[in-house]
Amino acid sequence: VEFPAVLLNTATGEIESEFHTYVQPQEHPVLSEFCTELTGITQTQVDEGVPLNICLSQFLKWIQKIQMEKKIIFSSDVPRSTSEAKPCTFVTWTDWDLGVCLHYECKRKQLRKPDILNSWIDLKATYKAFYNRKPKGLSGALQDLGIAFKGREHSGLDDSRNTARLAWRMMCDGCVLKITKSLDK
């Protein structure tokens, strides 16, 4: 019901761009009380949202715009012979959003999922390996490092911003972030 992404500049730690939209549920258009309590997303917000296919189209437009402006490339892009291109990849907290949720939703609805969403860094697995401890959720991982979670937990955009903050801190601590999951054949 929510599709957020943020662009983290790994040289400065700044979030340079954000994408956010609510996705209109098609099969079950009425949100459950559980969903609303967990995420803070209201029925009005999803009613005014867009279907998933429109969301993916808007997301790709955002990606293409920042690719041009910031000269970034994804591993799924055809290799470009420009030395100024900066590599970019997605970072998630667990494999759930891209590996399960979006993957099967697109399959079920027969939507073409953008190839750039087929590989990512699972920050939870990376955190566990780098610090050699099991975090108690995204908020717990931040807390372990003395960082307060900003915003509302389970709000997609707030979770994205906090995932970026955690990734930045881990890089500052010497962690090299590498793709942990790929659905590409």
Side-chain angles (χ1 to χ4, degrees), residues 45 60 86 119 145 156 173:
Q45 287 170 313
L60 275 178
K86 300 178 204 96
S119 61
L145 300 176
D173 286 351

Short mmCIF file of all heavy atoms in Angstrom, two decimals, residues 45 60 86 119 145 156 173:
data_model
loop_
_atom_site.label_atom_id
_atom_site.label_comp_id
_atom_site.label_asym_id
_atom_site.label_seq_id
_atom_site.Cartn_x
_atom_site.Cartn_y
_atom_site.Cartn_z
N GLN A 45 -5.78 7.80 2.22
CA GLN A 45 -4.49 7.85 1.53
C GLN A 45 -4.40 6.80 0.43
O GLN A 45 -3.93 7.09 -0.67
CB GLN A 45 -3.34 7.70 2.53
CG GLN A 45 -3.13 8.94 3.37
CD GLN A 45 -2.16 8.72 4.51
OE1 GLN A 45 -2.23 7.73 5.25
NE2 GLN A 45 -1.25 9.67 4.68
N LEU A 60 9.84 4.44 -12.08
CA LEU A 60 10.84 4.38 -13.15
C LEU A 60 11.16 5.76 -13.71
O LEU A 60 12.32 6.04 -14.02
CB LEU A 60 10.39 3.45 -14.27
CG LEU A 60 10.70 1.97 -14.06
CD1 LEU A 60 10.16 1.13 -15.20
CD2 LEU A 60 12.20 1.74 -13.89
N LYS A 86 28.33 6.74 -11.51
CA LYS A 86 28.45 6.27 -10.13
C LYS A 86 27.55 5.05 -9.95
O LYS A 86 26.36 5.11 -10.27
CB LYS A 86 28.04 7.37 -9.16
CG LYS A 86 28.86 8.62 -9.27
CD LYS A 86 28.33 9.68 -8.29
CE LYS A 86 28.70 11.07 -8.74
NZ LYS A 86 27.66 11.74 -9.49
N SER A 119 18.04 -7.03 -7.71
CA SER A 119 19.16 -7.30 -6.81
C SER A 119 19.26 -6.15 -5.81
O SER A 119 18.90 -5.01 -6.13
CB SER A 119 20.48 -7.48 -7.58
OG SER A 119 20.80 -6.32 -8.29
N LEU A 145 23.52 1.24 17.91
CA LEU A 145 24.62 2.12 17.49
C LEU A 145 24.46 3.54 18.04
O LEU A 145 25.17 4.45 17.63
CB LEU A 145 24.71 2.15 15.96
CG LEU A 145 24.97 0.79 15.30
CD1 LEU A 145 24.93 0.92 13.78
CD2 LEU A 145 26.30 0.21 15.75
N GLY A 156 6.58 3.48 5.53
CA GLY A 156 7.56 3.14 4.50
C GLY A 156 8.62 4.20 4.28
O GLY A 156 9.81 3.89 4.19
N ASP A 173 31.60 3.12 9.72
CA ASP A 173 32.27 2.17 10.61
C ASP A 173 33.17 1.19 9.86
O ASP A 173 33.78 0.31 10.46
CB ASP A 173 31.23 1.38 11.43
CG ASP A 173 30.59 2.22 12.54
OD1 ASP A 173 31.05 3.34 12.79
OD2 ASP A 173 29.63 1.72 13.17
#
